[in-house]
Amino acid sequence: MLAPVQTPALQTNASPLWARVQNLGLRTVAVMGMTKNTGKTVSLNHLLAQAQSAHVAVGLTSIGRDGEERDQVFSIPKPPVMVTPGCLVATARDTLLRAKVRTRLLGGTGIESPMGEIVLVKALDAGEMEVAGASRSHDQHRVIALLRQCGAEIVFLDGALGRSHHASPAIADGVVLATGAAIGGGVQDVLRKTRDRLAILGIAAAEAALAAQVQPAFDCAGVGVWDRAGAPVFLEPIATLNAAPVLLGLGATDVGTVAVSGAVARRLWQALVELLQRHPGLTLVVGDGTKLFIDAIDLATFERQGGHVRAMRAIRMAGITLNPFSPFGGSFDAHEFLAQAQLALPDYTVSDVQLTAA
């Protein structure tokens, strides 16, 4: 039986990022990085500490592995995940052998991983923990539900390199994006690349009527096509990997809207571009911005040519965090980087959590 944890909520001395998270009323927040070494773990630790100060009961899990002593890609030292007393953690059983805090086992999940079953524990001390959670979306839903059952008022999802599906609104209702000097280039290069990523993640939600029209494609986990009058032309539960030839084979059929429930990668995108040339004003609807595996210039060109891209669920960006340091050289002045980022990204809560803590 999973033991519930009760903690009263109290707001105290909130940082701009934490204040934004609370003001939005977020219950599940994904923390993702633009690339390795952009400060994702530091941002996560900041949120954990802020929640502790505000007496908010926290749940924590990861879609990959985080908190290990050395980066698994570049083999350089990395900051550990710092849990706080009372933090509820869903992690693989083997990681508990390396935890530098005492924990109390709350229960299992029945979800297996290469590092053992994902179990739920309560941290009894403040300190370092390695976290390795469930990697599949449906397993993440179960883990989040169990953490809430144990008393978590907010759940933080820690991401992994090359994975962004945990940032989907189907899983998280808010996202924190970590960016920084490790991306490479100068300050303006980093900010341009960050804006490009935000352009993809931030595609607007489909209007209610359009969302209702295309819902069947998402219900069957497939692809749907409608003419300009809204009448269905094609609706099948096919994998998006097989969708390009199907769309191109529609011939002279009038096409107004295409809905794709899965990922849109390069081959499918090229087919959609060709379809737009045949059918000006084409609207594409995807699940959310995490499903688009294209560049920002592709999206901008598509829209400049008269196409429209909408999401069934828009991603809510809780904040952008900055890391001016790069382990590969080319670090920035922290204050200048923050000032330039706030000017370049005026619609977002932009912060350097290290400066906030100073």
Side-chain angles (χ1 to χ4, degrees):
M1 186 73 178
L2 298 175
V5 177
Q6 299 294 333
T7 307
L10 177 65
Q11 177 66 45
T12 58
N13 299 325
S15 70
L17 177 61
W18 176 247
R20 170 74 171 164
V21 168
Q22 288 206 305
N23 289 340
L24 289 174
L26 303 180
R27 297 190 64 211
T28 308
V29 178
V31 184
M32 62 185 294
M34 285 280 294
T35 186
K36 283 282 189 180
N37 303 299
T38 54
K40 173 176 63 68
T41 302
V42 172
S43 299
L44 174 65
N45 288 341
H46 171 81
L47 290 168
L48 291 172
Q50 287 280 301
Q52 170 76 6
S53 295
H55 301 284
V56 173
V58 170
L60 171 65
T61 191
S62 173
I63 67 163
R65 181 183 179 190
D66 202 4
E68 67 272 32
E69 292 185 356
R70 302 188 74 83
D71 186 284
Q72 297 298 302
V73 176
F74 299 108
S75 193
I76 57 177
K78 59 173 293 186
V81 173
M82 301 293 295
V83 298
T84 53
C87 184
L88 304 167
V89 185
T91 187
R93 190 180 293 274
D94 289 357
T95 66
L96 300 178
L97 301 174
R98 295 179 288 279
K100 297 182 180 179
V101 296
R102 293 176 302 143
T103 60
R104 188 177 81 211
L105 182 65
L106 301 178
T109 66
I111 301 167
E112 294 296 330
S113 80
M115 301 176 73
E117 182 191 7
I118 306 299
V119 294
L120 303 177
V121 299
K122 177 182 178 182
L124 302 179
D125 315 297
E128 303 175 12
M129 274 194 76
E130 183 179 324
V131 183
S135 60
R136 294 176 297 188
S137 296
H138 67 275
D139 287 337
Q140 290 168 17
H141 283 290
R142 173 167 169 75
V143 166
I144 291 167
L146 289 171
L147 286 168
R148 287 180 178 156
Q149 182 181 328
C150 288
E153 297 172 73
I154 188 169
V155 176
F156 293 118
L157 304 176
D158 183 31
L161 181 64
R163 298 186 188 182
S164 60
H165 71 266
H166 71 305
S168 167
I171 298 174
D173 50 13
V175 175
V176 172
L177 179 65
T179 188
I183 292 175
V187 168
Q188 294 306 317
D189 295 311
V190 169
L191 294 178
R192 174 180 54 78
K193 292 171 184 176
T194 304
R195 279 194 301 267
D196 287 350
R197 185 67 175 135
L198 290 169
I200 297 292
L201 293 175
I203 56 175
E207 299 78 3
L210 176 60
Q213 174 185 306
V214 302
Q215 184 64 52
F218 295 88
D219 290 340
C220 74
V223 174
V225 179
W226 290 261
D227 65 20
R228 295 178 194 277
V233 172
F234 175 87
L235 180 63
E236 292 291 340
I238 62 172
T240 54
L241 285 174
N242 304 322
V246 172
L247 294 177
L248 293 178
L250 292 174
T253 304
D254 176 43
V255 175
T257 303
V258 175
V260 178
S261 64
V264 178
R266 181 61 52 186
R267 183 183 179 208
L268 178 53
W269 182 259
Q270 289 171 344
L272 290 163
V273 169
E274 186 172 336
L275 209 61
L276 172 62
Q277 294 169 352
R278 299 181 193 173
H279 306 280
L282 178 72
T283 295
L284 167 67
V285 183
V286 295
D288 56 75
T290 68
K291 305 297 185 185
L292 290 175
F293 292 86
I294 58 173
D295 296 326
I297 191 171
D298 298 319
L299 178 61
T301 301
F302 189 86
E303 293 180 333
R304 190 165 56 248
Q305 293 175 347
H308 309 280
V309 181
R310 296 291 183 266
M312 286 295 280
R313 301 166 300 271
I315 292 173
R316 282 201 289 183
M317 194 59 60
I320 312 297
T321 62
L322 308 176
N323 180 11
F325 173 76
S326 171
F328 314 113
S331 298
F332 307 145
D333 176 85
H335 293 279
E336 179 185 350
F337 187 28
L338 177 59
Q340 291 294 321
Q342 288 175 334
L343 283 174
L345 304 167
D347 297 329
Y348 300 92
T349 298
V350 180
S351 59
D352 180 331
V353 298
Q354 297 283 64
L355 292 180
T356 300

